[in-house]
């Protein structure tokens, strides 16, 4: 008969503690791995930010500000424009535009900021493919506007869109109810047509913004107001038509803009043109793209493409899907 192995009573008593200690060790090891990964990620982002800092050098140069895509309020852009006005190394500013417009407040913000910059530095706008609505508002804030012959410019106007989903809600059996402090609070309501007092209040909002837009076009382009008003029916025109109607000054691109700065503002044409906005991201721009994509996903937004604007906009749109 084989002997049964003897069990050390002290070892048996220690087994639960050993198991617990092993579990604690395993968890702490996993925690340290996570902390190490986070520390590494922070270090990489810090290095990327260091390399992303703009470096224009100490020499004189022409600053390029890119206005691309949908325009909205941007505090970083405001600070960048203010800094350009105080930078003695900046001898002139080119505003490179390719945008269908954006929010009315964003367009006004950019227009006013460029007006302050224009008082300190010579500024010139170059419209590439598109400079419409709030983007055209941006262009007229500069001293001179260039565009390609086949660039799209104009679309002077303001838009407020409203979706009436009342019939759809009735079909699926959904009824919307609300308690509001006043008859125009939360109007227009997407469960019913925009009409009556609600429509009148929105129309007054649009008209007030539109009249201001027409006024600044007339002022900046040296037009009689009736002429500016006649061009402000929302139409778009080519660059060549824009020259004929007085909406822009001349046909050309960045080279012509540099030549104008030299001829009219004594800015040497051989100066380097340095993009100062958006801020360059260096060789680590994939980090910003990744983080931006994660942020959009967290907000339920599409990974790429434009974000739909709500509210009052000055935006040229092609078709219902734009």
């Amino acid at each position: 008969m084989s002997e049964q192995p003897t069990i050390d009573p002290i070892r048996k008593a220690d087994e639960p503690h050993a198991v617990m200690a092993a579990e604690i060790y395993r968890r702490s090891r996993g925690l340290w791995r996570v902390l190490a990964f986070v520390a590494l990620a922070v270090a990489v982002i810090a290095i990327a930010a260091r390399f992303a800092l703009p470096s224009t050098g100490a020499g004189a140069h022409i600053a390029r500000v890119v206005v691309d895509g949908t325009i909205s309020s941007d505090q970083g852009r405001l600070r960048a424009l203010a800094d350009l006005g105080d930078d003695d190394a900046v001898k002139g500013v080119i505003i490179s535009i390719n945008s269908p417009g954006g929010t009315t407040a964003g367009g006004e913000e950019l227009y006013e900021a460029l007006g302050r910059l224009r008082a300190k530095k010579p500024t010139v706008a170059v419209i590439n493919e598109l400079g419409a609505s709030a983007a055209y508002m941006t262009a007229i804030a500069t001293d001179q506007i260039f565009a390609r012959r086949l660039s799209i410019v104009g679309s002077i106007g303001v838009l407020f869109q409203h979706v009436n989903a009342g019939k759809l809600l009735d079909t699926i059996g959904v009824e919307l109810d609300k308690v509001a402090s006043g008859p125009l609070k939360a109007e227009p309501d997407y469960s019913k047509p925009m009409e009556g007092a609600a429509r009148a209040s929105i129309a007054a909002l649009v008209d007030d913004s539109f009249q201001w837009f027409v006024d600044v076009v007339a002022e900046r382009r040296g037009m009689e107001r009736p002429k500016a008003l006649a061009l402000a029916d929302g139409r778009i025109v080519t660059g060549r038509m824009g020259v004929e109607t007085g909406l822009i000054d001349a046909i050309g691109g960045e080279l012509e803009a540099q030549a104008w700065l030299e001829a009219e503002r004594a800015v040497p044409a051989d100066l380097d043109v340095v993009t100062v906005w958006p801020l360059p991201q260096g060789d680590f721009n994939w980090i910003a793209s990744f983080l931006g994509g994660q942020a959009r996903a967290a907000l339920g937004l599409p990974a790429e493409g434009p974000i739909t604007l709500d509210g009052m906009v000055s935006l040229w749109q092609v078709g219902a899907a734009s």
Side-chain angles (χ1 to χ4, degrees):
M1 185 174 181
S2 62
E3 291 186 8
Q4 295 292 330
T6 59
I7 300 177
D8 187 348
I10 297 178
R11 181 180 177 185
K12 183 176 182 180
D14 287 342
E15 282 183 356
H17 298 286
V19 171
M20 184 179 299
E23 179 64 18
I24 292 174
Y25 173 73
R26 184 185 65 81
R27 291 182 179 179
S28 64
R29 185 173 59 179
L31 175 61
W32 280 110
R33 285 177 177 173
V34 171
L35 292 176
F37 176 79
V38 171
L40 178 62
V42 170
V44 170
I45 293 173
I47 293 172
R50 180 181 178 88
F51 279 90
L53 291 175
S55 176
T56 60
H61 61 277
I62 298 171
R64 181 194 295 114
V65 175
V66 178
V67 178
D68 192 16
T70 304
I71 294 171
S72 60
S73 298
D74 191 318
Q75 293 302 310
R77 184 176 60 208
L78 281 181
R79 288 191 295 270
L81 292 174
D83 290 344
L84 289 179
D86 298 330
D87 190 344
D88 292 337
V90 175
K91 303 306 179 182
V93 182
I94 294 175
I95 310 299
S96 179
I97 299 172
N98 188 16
S99 167
T103 66
T104 49
E108 178 189 1
E109 175 188 272
L110 191 48
Y111 173 84
E112 297 289 354
L114 288 174
R116 292 188 292 270
L117 178 60
R118 185 181 68 243
K120 298 180 178 181
K121 306 286 182 180
T123 60
V124 55
V126 175
I127 297 175
N128 297 299
E129 285 84 0
L130 180 60
S133 296
Y136 178 69
M137 187 188 299
T138 299
I140 64 175
T142 65
D143 295 309
Q144 181 84 353
I145 306 174
F146 287 93
R148 298 295 180 187
R149 288 181 178 81
L150 299 182
S151 298
I152 295 176
V153 301
S155 189
I156 302 168
V158 179
L159 170 70
F160 186 99
Q161 289 183 313
H162 168 63
V163 175
N164 175 17
K167 291 183 179 180
L168 174 62
L169 296 177
D170 289 342
T171 300
I172 61 178
V174 175
E175 182 177 350
L176 179 67
D177 199 3
K178 66 180 178 181
V179 176
S181 59
L184 295 179
K185 184 64 178 176
E187 290 288 349
D189 192 327
Y190 63 82
S191 66
K192 60 184 180 182
M194 183 168 54
E195 55 189 10
R199 187 177 192 88
S201 68
I202 297 299
L205 188 76
V206 170
D207 187 63
D208 182 70
S209 299
F210 172 68
Q211 296 302 331
W212 177 82
F213 197 169
V214 173
D215 286 341
V216 297
V217 170
E219 176 186 352
R220 293 297 304 151
R221 299 307 301 163
M223 294 181 181
E224 295 293 330
R225 197 177 192 279
K227 180 180 179 181
L229 187 60
L231 294 170
D233 55 2
R235 75 181 71 180
I236 54 173
V237 297
T238 64
R240 185 181 61 81
M241 296 167 66
V243 173
E244 293 175 353
T245 57
L247 292 179
I248 67 171
D249 293 298
I251 299 300
E254 192 164 289
L255 290 178
E256 287 75 15
Q258 289 178 262
W260 181 87
L261 285 169
E262 182 177 44
E264 300 296 330
R265 297 293 189 270
V267 177
D270 59 351
L271 292 180
D272 289 338
V273 180
V274 180
T275 299
V276 297
W277 186 266
L279 297 177
Q281 295 178 324
D283 295 331
F284 295 89
N285 58 357
W286 64 270
I287 297 176
S289 299
F290 173 76
L291 294 177
Q294 295 304 307
R296 290 170 71 108
L299 295 172
L301 300 172
E304 297 180 349
I307 300 172
T308 303
L309 297 172
D310 291 325
M312 190 166 56
V313 299
S314 183
L315 184 72
W316 179 64
Q317 302 186 64
V318 182
S322 297

